[in-house]
Amino acid sequence: MAARDPHRSADTDQRSPKLIYVILAGQNPTGTVMSEQTRRSLLELADSFHCLIVEDDPWSELHYTAAIPPSICSMDQNGQVIYLKGYSKVMAPGLRIGCLVARGSVFLRLANVKAIADLATPLFNQALRFCAD
């Protein structure tokens, strides 16, 4: 008999997640910060399900602890983490600037969707994005 995965309950044995969305620092309403060990465990969990993690990070600059643990994206070796960073929360509410970090085939698929879905982004902004790559 195969070992049972402790992360699966009886009613989810036939289904697996396709995506995990998480805010790791400043989680509302408690303001807690996920530990590095828990972040690593989450990455291992996503790897076991072969699913993506969307790591949303609007709050890491606003913290009261000595240091924020490294992002899941920085630990990712398989290209399964999409890192989102917005600056509206820390700079100005009306400032709608952010970034997305992805690797490998996930990045290529997202770039293709962006190209198809949004033909109105100024070329200068597009050039800035590719300079940062």
Side-chain angles (χ1 to χ4, degrees), residues 14-113:
Q14 299 303 315
R15 299 174 298 194
S16 62
K18 303 295 181 214
L19 183 130
I20 298 170
Y21 174 83
V22 64
I23 298 175
L24 303 175
Q27 181 67 339
N28 204 3
T30 63
T32 59
V33 176
M34 187 181 287
S35 71
E36 182 174 351
Q37 180 57 43
T38 305
R39 292 172 189 222
R40 290 187 188 281
S41 296
L42 186 61
L43 185 58
E44 290 171 9
L45 177 67
D47 191 43
S48 72
F49 284 114
H50 305 290
C51 70
L52 293 173
I53 296 175
V54 175
E55 180 179 3
D56 193 355
D57 184 19
W59 302 110
S60 64
E61 285 84 14
L62 299 174
H63 60 86
Y64 300 105
T65 60
I68 294 287
S71 68
I72 294 176
C73 186
S74 69
M75 300 178 211
D76 178 31
Q77 299 298 313
N78 300 322
Q80 66 191 72
V81 177
I82 300 169
Y83 178 81
L84 305 175
K85 180 70 181 168
Y87 298 99
S88 300
K89 307 286 191 225
V90 296
M91 296 177 88
L95 185 65
R96 300 291 179 213
I97 295 177
C99 69
L100 178 144
V101 176
R103 294 183 180 99
S105 64
V106 172
F107 173 80
L108 295 174
R109 286 186 288 176
L110 290 169
N112 286 337
V113 168

Side-chain angles (χ1 to χ4, degrees), residues 108-121 126 129:
L108 295 174
R109 286 186 288 176
L110 290 169
N112 286 337
V113 168
K114 164 84 171 87
I116 293 168
D118 181 15
L119 299 176
T121 303
Q126 293 290 329
R129 181 183 63 88

